[in-house]
Every structure is written in structure tokens, then in C-alpha cells.
Amino acid sequence: MATINDVARAAGVSPSTVSYVLSGRRPISAQTRERVQAAIAELGFHPHAGARALASSRTNVLALVVPLRTDVNVPVIMQFATAVVTASRTHNHDVLLLTKDEGTAGLERVAHSTMVDALIVMDVERDDVRLQALRKLKQPSVLIGLPEDPAGIACVDLDFEAAAAQALRHLAWHGHRKIALVGPSPAVYKRGTTYAERFLTGFTDASAALDLETMTHPCEPDREGVRACLADIDAQLPGVTALVVHNEEALRMVLEEVQAGGRRVPADISVVAICPRDVALNMPLPLTSVDIPAHDVGGLAVETAMRLLDGRPIEPVRLLPPTLVERESTARPAG
Amino acid sequence: MATINDVARAAGVSPSTVSYVLSGRRPISAQTRERVQAAIAELGFHPHAGARALASSRTNVLALVVPLRTDVNVPVIMQFATAVVTASRTHNHDVLLLTKDEGTAGLERVAHSTMVDALIVMDVERDDVRLQALRKLKQPSVLIGLPEDPAGIACVDLDFEAAAAQALRHLAWHGHRKIALVGPSPAVYKRGTTYAERFLTGFTDASAALDLETMTHPCEPDREGVRACLADIDAQLPGVTALVVHNEEALRMVLEEVQAGGRRVPADISVVAICPRDVALNMPLPLTSVDIPAHDVGGLAVETAMRLLDGRPIEPVRLLPPTLVERESTARPAG
DNA sequence: TTGAAAGCGCTACCAA
DNA sequence: TTGGTAGCGCTTTCAA
């Protein structure tokens, strides 16, 4: 492998000049720059990442911590991950993939050994034990999610409260008054992933503000759970005309069970889903949905990390406004 | 951050001794080792990854290249990825996540800049343009999949031919004679991901060997595609008593449409799925399935990379034998 | 506009 | 069993 010295020799300049051509950190005459670039191309030179990290204390690598549990929504995680990788590349960074099961130790390991410039952490819980460790690192971190006490750590996420409000406003505008929330599984609430709570809060608040008759119900994403959930809803809120479904795994089964019960969507009952666009589109019926913008959130997380690294100002907590797209699963209530 | 010199001073030894305690590459007296380890713990010392890479030409990082298309089976990809990360950690390696869309350039970038010791590449196509680039790298690579010409590159995958044969043998043993394959979408075949072809070959060969009456049909994983596929099958193979489904996305819809057509599984028609265990278990009915052992394949890919790095012998192409588990979707044909 | 050279923190060779 | 030390390949300060 060619080194910077080889390039320097080939171009008839000093190694530092080659370095400056590469980094652009000082002016170089056009003529010199060209000779250097020609030599770089000629020799197929790529700077040695380790040497660079050692000399500059910059790795150009971001850590991304993903949950590896399979009870989480895998496709959404994958969307976040690819968004983070793609965005990182536009900022000339690579991504080191860590799994949540390594816990605090994993974060400290990569940070202390200077493998990464910053960390992006997914699946953050309300009172996540990793937060205190993150605060002590010399590298900045960005959370995808919102813990109870985000002090000192940047957070980005969808504004789930606003998402719930938007779903209800849409249904209310269509004339619905009796609306039920099919929520995530009890395990999600118990784990303390706050997006579920935030959605619930938004739902309850908006329900009061709009003077609606609503109820909420967690839902185990299997056939039985869905049946039980829908039965409870019918029992507790007879005459319900609309469902807000915040449970991607259960979504398809909810639609099937509603239909199996003899009700048509949207003629007999309207449905608003909270899910990524492509999920909403790949249902038997294109669903009116509030998008989970994994791509935007991932990109914003990277952008935030970059600002932190450059010492540029950031918003400590950035909640993206939701977007509702009306498709074919919502209509005015019958009668 | 503490350096190796700080540790050496604190322990009253030379830096090289600290290094050897860490690497175990030469004998150290128990007494010295303890003093050094105490100093390491005391100072919270973690060796600087870049410095280490520079001095040893070893990064302890593996590159993992994943497809980021969403038309691929996302949960399976995620399973491979987490398996690779988990296995890498047991070998004291981390994983740099690359996306396929960076193509050859991405591979060359991380390899030439010495960011990784080896590369693991998923979603390899029959005549993948990346292969020639991989062969030129100084780092070894391991493919998950099997291209047409794997010369010079290690490959690991499930033995899809054997998987097809096993599915057919199971059904034949139950007494089925008329069996149809619901295959992946045409796009998968067109792209040249060879597992589809290998499965097809195995299916056709085993069909002949077992003297069965079979047909094969690709299947677009949406409602319409599934309906069309099943209709074709009924038209071309009237009296079909069993289905082999090698299309995870379509699986649930196949079951639904079969039922919608008034047939019960397994009373009227048996179904064998080719999919990860958890997918088979999460269907309305636990399915008899040939497992796609993502975890094993990912682990084996890492193991192979490690052997390559240590100069230990490997098998150039390692196809894991399939495992069929009988559950509740197969029975003897009616009548 | 460019060059010289001192490190960055570690590994591994050569000695003892 | 241990120490000394020359690099690994780059960045960046100091000089010119």
C-alpha cells in the first residue's frame, strides 16, 4: 500500500503538502494540487485510517447501537440503521454497529478505545441505565428516542404526542366521536420505551380537547391478542366507528379480524395507522397513516452528531412534526 | 485518557511489558501481571484502537455489507447482521456496517484505508461485479451466498438444494404426489440471487428422483400476486395436495388465500415453508418448516473470517445442511 | 505557498 | 522474565 510519503515523493512535494491537499486546511497552488492529486490517483493512495486517527484524534466513525431483540419492530430498526449509514456517508463517516445487549460496557469500550467520534443510540428507555455512562464519555451522543431525563444528551424522534393528536383530529374532522386506540403490546409499555407513553398522552389529551369518547387498549401482536383487544373495545365502547392502530405487527391482523367480524373498512369502521409509509401502502387496503419517518429521524441524528463534533449549536431535543396522509381507510362514519 | 506509558509507570514496568500482558504474546510472571492489571483497572486504561492498528496492522474490525433495498427480506437480513455482530464480539472484533449501494467503491475504500481486517458480504448475486474487486483486496472476504464463480473467496450459506429435497421428501413420505412450489418474486430470480435458483434446482431434481408430479411458480408478495399464483397452480396442477412456500413475505397471504378458497391446512392441503423458525411459529398455525438458520450462517461467516485471518484452513464453500421441523401444517393427503 | 519534524500511542524486534 | 526503542503513517505546529 502506498503511503503519504510515496505520494509526496512521486509529486515532488513534502508529506505535509499532500496532507493539506487532502484536508484542504491550507491554501495550495493549483499546480501543486494537481500534481499531488495525480500522484494520489496514480498510486491508488488511501490514507491509513488508524494513522489518521492517531495523529488527528478523529476516526470518522460513528457508533450505532441497535436493539437485537426480535420483539421490536425489526423493519423499522433496519430503516433507522440504513438511514444512519447513508447519512453518515454523506458526511464522510462510517458506522460501527453495536448491539444493545453489550450494554454500558460496549459503549465504554468503543468510546475509551477511541474507535468512534460520536454515538447514536436507539431504543432508549425511560430511565435507561446507559445514560449516565454516555454522559461521562468524551464523545458526544445522540439518542433516537426520549428518556425521562435527557439532560446533557441530544435527542431526536418523531413527536408522538402530536402524531396522536393529528390522528384524532383527522378522524374528528370526518365526524367520528367514538374512537379506540389499539396500542403496542404490554411488554413495550413495561419496558419503558417512551414513545408508547408519549403517544398515549397525546391521544388522551387530544381526546379531551376534541371532546371525544375514546378508550385505549394495549394489544399483543398475535391472533388471540388482537381478537381479545377488539372484543374488549366493542364491549367497552359500543358503536365505535374508528380505530387508531399504533402497533405495526398487529396491524394486518386487526384489519383481518375487523373484516372477519363482518365490518368493512372504511364503510363501517375507519382506521388510522401509525407506521412507516411502505407498511401502510402494503396492506390489503392503502391505509390512512401517520408516517414514522425513520429516514428523516436517522438523518437528523447524524446531522446532530456532526454539529456536536463541529461545535455548532444544536437543539437538545428535536421532535419531528408528524405527517398524516389520507388514503383509503378513513371516511365519515356510517349513518 | 490514560496511555500505555501511564500504566507502565504506575505499575513500575516498561510499556512493552504492559503490551505483552495485554496480548499474552510472551510469558509474564504472575506478580508482574497482577501489578499491571491493577494499574490498568485503576487508570481505566483502554488501548487506543488507531495506535494499535497502526503498530500491528490489525484493526479487530470486520466489515459487513448489507443490502439496503426494502424488497429483500428485512427481518432475515437483520438476523444475519445481529448474528455477525454477536459472533464478532466473541472473537474480540467489532463490525463496520456498509450498505450494498456503495458498491465496489465502498469495499475498496474501507479495505485500502485499512479500516477492517476482513469483509463479510451479503446478498451476493450470480455474477456479482464486486467479486473481482474483493479478490484484489489484501483483506480476505467471506460471502453469505454463492455466486457462479466463487473461486478465491470463501462462501457460506444454507444448502438450498438440500432444503428443497428435504421438503419434498417429507411431503412424499406423507403420501403427497402432486406438489407445487410457491417461489420468490420474479424480481429475485432476475436479480440473480442464486439461492432462488439453487432451491429450484433442488426442487426439480428431487421431484424427478421421487417421481412426483410437481410444478413451480414465482409469486409476487402481494394480495394479487398470491391469488394469481394459487389460481395458476390449481389450473395447471389440479388436485394439488401440498405447497412448498419459499417466499417469506407471501407466506401469510398464501395461508389466508388458501383458507379463503375453502381449503383447510393441513386437512385439505399441506404446507411446508422455507423460513426462519420464528416466522414459522408466528403464523396462524405453526408451520412445518425448513429453517433458514441465519444465526448459524452469520456465525459461520465470522468463524471463517477468523480462520482466514489466522491462516487456519477453511472450506472454500460451506453449505449448511437444512433442518426440517414438522409442525402442524403437514399431514397425509385427504382420501 | 511550502517544508521540516515532532509527536499521536501502540507493537514487536533486539537485547539483556 | 523483562526493558529499550524504532517505527507504524499520518497531522499539525513552527519556520521559512
Side-chain angles (χ1 to χ4, degrees):
Chain A
M1 292 276 83
T3 73
I4 201 171
N5 288 298
D6 299 328
V7 174
R9 209 172 307 122
V13 299
S14 74
S16 56
T17 296
V18 176
S19 177
Y20 285 118
V21 166
L22 249 22
S23 69
R25 294 172 80 83
R26 82 177 179 192
I28 301 283
S29 73
Q31 192 189 15
T32 304
R33 193 202 329 285
E34 265 170 43
R35 286 222 313 286
V36 170
Q37 279 164 344
I40 288 174
E42 167 96 15
L43 298 175
F45 169 70
H46 290 254
H48 186 292
R52 201 167 228 192
L54 182 56
S56 68
S57 342
R58 281 281 239 140
T59 63
N60 278 38
V61 175
L62 259 34
L64 173 67
V65 188
V66 304
L68 96 184
R69 236 177 305 95
T70 49
D71 73 314
V72 201
N73 207 321
V74 180
V76 176
I77 292 170
M78 195 73 183
Q79 283 189 26
F80 278 117
T82 57
V84 166
V85 173
T86 307
S88 293
R89 289 304 308 136
T90 72
H91 292 275
N92 198 29
H93 278 247
D94 277 285
V95 171
L96 198 74
L97 184 64
L98 304 180
T99 54
K100 190 183 180 186
D101 68 324
E102 262 203 274
T104 297
L107 306 175
E108 289 171 341
R109 182 173 57 76
V110 299
H112 289 157
S113 61
T114 324
M115 297 185 78
V116 303
D117 294 334
L119 301 91
I120 295 178
V121 181
M122 293 182 57
D123 195 33
V124 178
E125 294 163 22
R126 190 189 318 105
D127 189 34
D128 205 301
V129 291
R130 297 172 297 178
L131 297 188
Q132 55 184 71
L134 289 173
R135 291 200 184 90
K136 290 189 187 127
L137 302 180
K138 66 178 181 210
Q139 292 94 337
S141 15
V142 179
L143 308 182
I144 294 181
L146 184 58
E148 186 150 55
D149 176 17
I153 310 187
C155 302
V156 304
D157 205 350
L158 172 65
D159 187 339
F160 279 94
E161 286 195 26
Q166 197 172 31
L168 281 184
R169 271 201 306 275
H170 173 78
L171 290 168
W173 176 84
H174 264 312
H176 294 271
R177 313 302 304 167
K178 291 188 170 190
I179 306 173
L181 169 62
V182 176
S185 74
V188 170
Y189 291 106
K190 195 156 55 195
R191 195 167 78 238
T193 325
T194 64
Y195 73 86
E197 301 164 12
R198 288 182 275 141
F199 193 86
L200 207 53
T201 302
F203 189 88
T204 310
D205 292 354
S207 170
L210 295 166
D211 197 27
L212 301 172
E213 210 177 322
T214 63
M215 66 168 288
T216 65
H217 202 293
C219 181
E220 210 68 65
D222 53 38
R223 188 68 49 178
E224 277 177 62
V226 169
R227 282 192 186 133
C229 176
L230 291 178
D232 281 0
I233 288 172
D234 283 326
Q236 292 172 40
L237 195 68
V240 58
T241 64
L243 258 26
V244 175
V245 183
H246 184 208
N247 186 328
E248 204 179 309
E249 279 104 338
L251 192 48
R252 170 159 254 133
M253 286 182 280
V254 167
L255 296 172
E256 289 165 1
E257 290 301 322
V258 163
Q259 194 177 15
R263 282 179 287 193
R264 308 280 310 181
V265 175
D268 304 314
I269 193 162
S270 287
V271 172
V272 177
I274 318 302
C275 66
R277 181 191 315 281
D278 58 318
V279 171
L281 288 171
N282 275 308
M283 290 291 148
L285 176 81
L287 301 183
T288 296
S289 73
V290 179
D291 192 24
I292 295 185
H295 191 84
D296 295 347
V297 173
L300 185 57
V302 171
E303 173 69 24
T304 304
M306 293 301 147
R307 299 185 75 94
L308 251 12
L309 291 175
D310 303 343
R312 280 140 65 205
I314 61 150
E315 283 184 62
V317 175
R318 181 82 180 277
L319 298 180
L320 294 185
T323 311
L324 183 146
V325 177
E326 175 157 22
R327 301 202 180 85
E328 298 172 28
S329 63
T330 47
R332 359 189 72 258
Chain B
M1 294 275 82
T3 74
I4 200 170
N5 288 297
D6 299 328
V7 174
R9 209 172 306 121
V13 299
S14 75
S16 56
T17 296
V18 177
S19 176
Y20 286 117
V21 167
L22 250 23
S23 69
R25 295 172 79 84
R26 83 177 178 191
I28 302 281
S29 73
Q31 193 189 16
T32 304
R33 193 203 329 285
E34 265 170 43
R35 286 223 312 287
V36 169
Q37 277 163 346
I40 288 174
E42 168 96 16
L43 298 175
F45 168 69
H46 289 254
H48 187 292
R52 201 165 226 192
L54 182 54
S56 68
S57 348
R58 279 281 239 141
T59 63
N60 278 40
V61 175
L62 259 34
L64 173 67
V65 188
V66 304
L68 97 182
R69 238 178 304 92
T70 49
D71 74 314
V72 199
N73 207 321
V74 180
V76 177
I77 292 170
M78 195 74 183
Q79 283 188 26
F80 278 117
T82 58
V84 167
V85 172
T86 306
S88 293
R89 291 301 309 135
T90 73
H91 292 275
N92 198 29
H93 278 246
D94 278 286
V95 171
L96 198 75
L97 184 63
L98 304 181
T99 54
K100 191 183 179 184
D101 68 323
E102 263 203 273
T104 297
L107 306 175
E108 289 171 340
R109 181 173 57 77
V110 299
H112 288 158
S113 59
T114 323
M115 298 185 77
V116 301
D117 293 334
L119 301 93
I120 295 178
V121 181
M122 294 181 56
D123 194 36
V124 177
E125 294 163 23
R126 191 189 315 107
D127 190 33
D128 206 299
V129 291
R130 298 171 297 178
L131 297 188
Q132 55 183 69
L134 289 174
R135 291 199 184 90
K136 291 190 186 126
L137 301 180
K138 67 179 179 209
Q139 291 94 337
S141 16
V142 179
L143 309 182
I144 294 181
L146 184 58
E148 185 150 56
D149 176 17
I153 310 188
C155 301
V156 304
D157 205 352
L158 172 65
D159 187 339
F160 279 94
E161 286 195 25
Q166 198 173 31
L168 282 185
R169 271 200 307 275
H170 173 79
L171 290 168
W173 176 84
H174 265 311
H176 293 272
R177 312 302 304 165
K178 289 189 169 187
I179 306 173
L181 167 63
V182 176
S185 74
V188 170
Y189 290 107
K190 194 155 59 194
R191 196 167 77 237
T193 326
T194 63
Y195 74 85
E197 301 164 12
R198 287 181 277 142
F199 193 87
L200 207 53
T201 302
F203 190 88
T204 310
D205 291 355
S207 169
L210 296 165
D211 197 28
L212 302 172
E213 211 177 321
T214 64
M215 65 168 287
T216 65
H217 201 292
C219 181
E220 210 69 65
D222 54 37
R223 190 67 50 178
E224 277 178 62
V226 169
R227 282 190 187 137
C229 176
L230 292 178
D232 279 1
I233 288 172
D234 284 327
Q236 291 173 41
L237 195 66
V240 59
T241 64
L243 258 26
V244 174
V245 184
H246 183 210
N247 186 326
E248 204 178 308
E249 279 104 338
L251 191 47
R252 170 158 254 132
M253 286 182 279
V254 167
L255 296 172
E256 288 164 1
E257 290 300 323
V258 163
Q259 194 178 16
R263 282 178 287 192
R264 307 279 311 180
V265 175
D268 303 314
I269 191 162
S270 287
V271 172
V272 176
I274 317 301
C275 65
R277 181 189 317 279
D278 59 315
V279 171
L281 288 171
N282 275 309
M283 289 291 148
L285 176 81
L287 301 183
T288 296
S289 72
V290 179
D291 192 24
I292 296 185
H295 191 84
D296 296 346
V297 173
L300 185 57
V302 170
E303 172 69 24
T304 304
M306 293 302 148
R307 300 185 74 95
L308 252 9
L309 291 175
D310 302 343
R312 280 141 66 206
I314 61 151
E315 285 183 62
V317 175
R318 180 83 179 277
L319 298 180
L320 294 185
T323 310
L324 181 146
V325 177
E326 175 155 23
R327 300 200 182 85
E328 300 171 27
S329 63
T330 47
R332 3 189 67 261

